[in-house]
Amino acid sequence: RDLKDMNKAEHGGFAILGICLLAAFLISIPLSILLARRFIRPLQRMEGTASALALGNYNAQTGIQQDDEIGSLAQSIDTLAHRLSEAERESARLDKMRQDFITSISHELRTPITVLRGSLEVLQAGLIDDPAEKQEYLQQMMSNIIHLQRLVNDLLELTRLQNTDFTIEKTAINLTDALNDALHTARQLAEKK
């Protein structure tokens, strides 16, 4: 009888052990799903944000607020997105400035070239017989060539601005001469019209 009771107790112990293992297994499944979601969802959101950043959407954010390593990683991704967005805005601003500069330089180059062409056409056509007037036209053409040379030099100086050892040289100009050159150029253009 003692052996039967021991076998019975042993089977009862195995039954209890089996039930406990089954209960632990059944309890661990929802807990593991819950914990997996807690880790997987933020990782999926970070992956989606990283993909959006790779496609150029620098306004994408993870929106994850956790006080752990995953939250720290998500915060780093959000900071990166913010910095990329700022860099994109700065790049757009610099592109706009570059376009404005090119437009301005094109206009600045076009004016003296137009005056030079007009003066050369007048001289080539033989419309000016007076030597003093011819000399005035030649002087104006020389002035416009000097102006073009200054513009080209300014462009070259702007490319040198990228060097860290660049120094700005200041020179005095005669404002009266500059205004007289501008008036003379405008007068020649206005006379043709």
Side-chain angles (χ1 to χ4, degrees):
R1 184 158 197 245
D2 283 338
L3 195 55
K4 263 187 177 179
D5 285 339
M6 275 179 85
N7 277 343
K8 199 175 184 187
E10 187 180 326
H11 287 297
F14 281 129
I16 290 172
L17 181 62
I19 291 171
C20 287
L21 285 174
L22 182 64
F25 181 71
L26 291 174
I27 291 172
S28 70
I29 290 174
L31 282 176
S32 62
I33 291 172
L34 185 67
L35 286 174
R37 283 188 177 173
R38 175 161 166 73
F39 291 111
I40 290 173
R41 277 193 183 152
L43 292 174
Q44 288 173 335
R45 286 171 64 185
M46 286 188 283
E47 180 186 14
T49 302
S51 296
L53 291 174
L55 293 173
N57 178 8
Y58 303 131
N59 294 319
Q61 295 284 309
T62 62
I64 297 171
Q65 300 294 326
Q66 287 181 207
D67 195 23
D68 57 8
E69 289 80 9
I70 291 177
S72 177
L73 179 60
Q75 184 63 38
S76 296
I77 290 173
D78 289 346
T79 302
L80 173 66
H82 178 70
R83 289 187 180 160
L84 287 171
S85 178
E86 286 178 348
E88 183 183 40
R89 282 194 298 273
E90 181 66 15
S91 177
R93 187 182 71 80
L94 290 174
D95 282 344
K96 173 80 169 88
M97 286 175 61
R98 190 176 296 115
Q99 286 294 81
D100 291 347
F101 175 74
I102 289 170
T103 301
S104 176
I105 286 295
S106 297
H107 177 72
E108 288 294 320
L109 290 171
R110 187 177 297 136
T111 302
I113 289 172
T114 302
V115 171
L116 282 169
R117 181 177 178 179
S119 298
L120 283 171
E121 286 173 353
V122 167
L123 290 173
Q124 187 179 26
L127 299 175
I128 307 286
D129 292 329
D130 182 28
E133 198 173 344
K134 275 186 183 178
Q135 187 61 34
E136 187 178 331
Y137 268 85
L138 291 172
Q139 182 61 38
Q140 182 59 40
M141 289 168 58
M142 181 57 79
S143 174
N144 279 298
I145 287 172
I146 290 170
H147 180 65
L148 281 171
Q149 188 176 16
R150 275 191 223 134
L151 285 173
V152 170
N153 288 339
D154 288 347
L155 285 172
L156 292 173
E157 291 294 323
L158 284 174
T159 59
R160 290 186 203 146
L161 282 176
Q162 295 174 351
N163 296 338
T164 55
D165 59 344
F166 178 78
T167 57
I168 296 176
E169 296 177 22
K170 297 179 182 179
T171 58
I173 63 164
N174 187 338
L175 190 58
T176 307
D177 288 345
L179 287 173
N180 283 336
D181 284 346
L183 287 172
H184 191 71
T185 300
R187 187 178 330 121
Q188 283 189 347
L189 289 173
E191 283 175 356
K192 292 175 188 169
K193 293 184 179 183

